[in-house]
Amino acid sequence: MRDAWEIARLTAVELGAAYEQGNLSPTDAIEAAFTVVDDAEPQLNALWDRADVSARKAARDSTERWRRREQRGPLDGVPVTVKENLARAGVPMPAGNAGVVPVVPDRDSPVVERLTEAGAVILGSTVMPDWGMLSSGVSSLHGITRSPWDPTLTTGGSSSGAGAAAAAGYAPLHVGTDIGGSIRLPGTWLGLAAFKPSSGRVPLDIPYLGRVAGPMTRSVSDAALLMSALSRPDTRDWTALAPTDLPWTDVGQAAVDLRGLRIGLLLEAGCGMAVDPEVTQVVTDAARLFEDAGAVVEPLSPFLTDELLHDLDTFWRVRSLRDFQALSPDGQLRVLPFIQRWVGAAADVSGPQVLGCYQSILEIQKRSVAATLPFDVVLSPVAPVAAFPAEWPMPFGDHDRGMIHIGFTASCNMSGQPSISVNGGFTGDGRTVGIALSGRRFDDLGVLRVGDWWEAARPESARPDWPIRPRAAATLTLIDERRRQEAAAG
């Protein structure tokens, strides 16, 4: 059998080909996956639940199906994780929060049912921060989830465990959720192909305004392959799009001609944090490469404002305040202090103010669709900054500055547009920087095809060498080096 880390390098597409050729079996793949987990998990802290027994049985069953040439499709036997807020029957769902009494579901979520039907092997559930309302891996229940690139750096969030597991090679496929950037922010800060589908494309059992589930992978073709299962219908989601048989697996199979493709270049969100010049440089370098390939790149003016982003943040605070107030007094004390302060700031928000915030969300929807409609794809940063210290709950530390870092991501959640983060390059100190490619409403395939083109065309210097084996704790890290340089400078 191959070395576990060698198997961990394989994409889902490559694993399926190896099963077809008889070079590997799903049992080989899941054993390799658990070897990688055993090696990396003590440092990364990515998993809430490990499904060793059920995963090994599922892998054996899949191995037998492949032997009999009765496989269920290209996902049969491929290891996958799901975020802890995607229900698996019998597995408690604490939402990353030490203060809640976890719900124990009696039925799998639509995501899990579709994966199981496709024969995928679920090796476990990944962690998230409190209620998914942080863009980091800081959780009152789980502690800190760390980046395999550098354990002093954040994974991003709220799909923090999924991101860390994807980058470290726990499995080729991972499913996160995203209400304002929670798939794509780990994408940029870990170098992943992280796809937020159109709203309603992936059925959910608990739909909510802006919330989606989607792939977090190391290749765009794997993200498309995963969508072939996730997008299948489920009647529990009353907001789902009409069932459509899209050719997901065509992504990566044919060359994409960019000649004449209209790309809007959005370098400023119009709200929130200032964009780091290194992030801007990665995006402008990508724009030149698209232009060289025949695309028509035109500047796109910012269309959001600080007031709109503030109102979205206030709306979410009130939503989470209701959840916080439903906890017991002792439970409230166990919630992460940052979240306690964040929801507490909404205690005096009035009903008319909440409705005003909802009107602002509708305005975000209107502006986002109108501004991006002239373009096939919009190219922008995913986040204004690169990865920050793992201990910080937000990119600006422990201070409450609202959601000033999601100006580039939240608009697509509110408008329902598809968007993907694909690694575009690195900062001078080696941190990943993703580019965002966002499309018109419902053009998921268009976004994936352009993302796949970028993944193949980007310079060698922008390509992560997967998987990222976590560094030893004694290794001099980027943050340590930066602190040393600052101290030396006085």
Side-chain angles (χ1 to χ4, degrees), residues 235-304:
T235 56
R236 285 176 284 178
D237 189 342
W238 61 92
T239 70
L241 300 178
T244 307
D245 189 16
L246 297 175
W248 300 104
T249 54
D250 287 356
V251 174
Q253 300 300 310
V256 176
D257 187 355
L258 295 187
R259 287 176 297 179
L261 188 83
R262 294 194 65 190
I263 297 179
L265 179 60
L266 181 67
L267 295 178
E268 296 288 342
C271 56
M273 297 177 74
V275 183
D276 186 296
E278 287 192 280
V279 173
T280 300
Q281 188 63 55
V282 168
V283 178
T284 54
D285 287 349
R288 280 192 289 271
L289 196 58
F290 278 109
E291 211 162 31
D292 290 344
V296 179
V297 179
E298 303 173 23
L300 172 59
S301 298
F303 49 87
L304 296 187

Side-chain angles (χ1 to χ4, degrees), residues 1 7 70 76 94 160 189 207 225 240 270 276 281 317 321 347 368 372 394 409-410 416 464 472 486:
M1 178 178 161
I7 295 175
E70 296 174 357
D76 203 339
S160 50
W189 294 326
L225 177 63
D276 186 296
Q281 188 63 55
R317 288 180 195 248
L321 178 63
S368 300
T372 59
M394 289 292 206
T409 53
E486 291 171 353

Side-chain angles (χ1 to χ4, degrees), residues 183-185 187-188 192-195 382 419-423 434-437:
I183 285 173
R184 292 155 291 155
L185 293 173
T188 186
L192 302 171
F195 180 54
V382 179
S419 182
I420 192 169
S421 173
V422 187
N423 199 57
I435 62 169
L437 296 165

Side-chain angles (χ1 to χ4, degrees), residues 331-364:
Q332 291 180 0
L333 292 175
R334 291 197 295 270
V335 174
L336 195 75
F338 181 94
I339 293 293
Q340 293 183 39
R341 298 194 304 272
W342 181 71
V343 300
D348 295 327
V349 175
S350 68
Q353 284 177 297
V354 174
L355 287 176
C357 291
Y358 182 70
Q359 288 299 127
S360 291
I361 291 173
L362 297 180
E363 182 66 20
I364 292 173

Side-chain angles (χ1 to χ4, degrees), residues 2-12 14-15 32 36 166-172 218-219 222 464-469:
R2 297 188 202 176
D3 174 78
W5 286 93
E6 182 183 353
I7 295 175
R9 294 182 68 89
L10 299 177
T11 66
E14 291 167 340
L15 266 183
V36 171
Y170 286 20
R218 300 190 300 272
S219 75
D222 270 7
D465 184 18
W466 300 120
I468 306 302
R469 194 163 187 171

Side-chain angles (χ1 to χ4, degrees), residues 14 29 47 210 238 297 378 430 443 477:
E14 291 167 340
L47 292 180
W238 61 92
V297 179
V378 171
D443 189 21
T477 61

